[in-house]
Amino acid sequence: MSGAVEARLAELGLTLPPVVPPVAAYQPAVRSGVYVFTAGQLPMVDGKLTLTGKVGAEVTADEAKELSRICALNALAAVKSVAGDLDRIARVVKVVGFVASAADFTGQPGVINGASELLGEVLGDKGVHARSAVGVAVLPLDSPVEVEIQVELVPEA
């Protein structure tokens, strides 16, 4: 069943992907009360990374920004897997983005804007959030980016 959020995704030409299976010992998302916390989501499409390497070296900032959008879409799929319906999202509380960066790359906030902008496009005011954008030496599977989100759900009646 798809609700208003998934209809908005369709308007944007996007499809909610299947939940990306874990690559280690964790769950893609867990719920605690009215909150859902996702694991770090990689920019996996059909089970594969489309690009690997460091941003500012093998991967451009623009490419990485697009990859962070994919991470956010994967995070929404993980949220749905435990919330049941994306229309239950009251708001996105926090986004944390990691950017595997070349030594001289300092554009991490611009890269993670891809995830933040996607959440805003899809969820409107409910997508406005606090955020951290962190440069790191390396990420799992040599991914250029990784994004995790925390959302608050509308309490069940």
Side-chain angles (χ1 to χ4, degrees):
M1 178 171 164
S2 74
V5 173
E6 289 189 58
R8 178 65 183 144
L9 284 165
E11 287 173 21
L12 295 168
L14 301 169
T15 303
L16 198 65
V19 177
V20 175
V23 297
Y26 61 88
Q27 293 296 311
V30 297
R31 182 174 170 188
S32 180
V34 295
Y35 294 98
V36 175
F37 301 84
T38 72
Q41 298 294 310
L42 301 179
M44 301 286 247
V45 176
D46 297 326
K48 298 182 215 171
L49 291 173
T50 57
L51 288 171
T52 58
K54 305 288 183 286
V55 181
E58 301 88 1
V59 179
T60 70
D62 287 340
E63 289 171 327
K65 183 176 179 180
E66 286 301 312
L67 294 174
S68 76
R69 290 176 63 86
I70 295 169
C71 292
L73 197 57
N74 288 339
L76 288 174
V79 168
K80 182 180 178 184
S81 76
V82 296
D85 185 346
L86 292 178
D87 289 347
R88 294 209 47 232
I89 295 174
R91 71 170 304 158
V92 177
V93 177
K94 177 88 187 246
V95 171
V96 180
F98 302 95
V99 180
S101 303
D104 60 347
F105 183 75
T106 60
Q108 292 83 5
V111 168
I112 302 305
N113 276 349
S116 294
E117 291 167 2
L118 179 117
L119 293 168
E121 291 166 17
V122 172
L123 298 168
D125 289 342
K126 294 177 182 181
V128 177
H129 53 268
R131 187 182 86 182
S132 299
V134 182
V136 297
V138 68
L139 288 168
L141 307 177
D142 199 25
S143 177
V145 295
E146 180 175 344
V147 173
E148 62 184 56
I149 68 174
Q150 176 187 348
V151 302
E152 180 182 359
L153 300 176
V154 174
E156 295 181 76

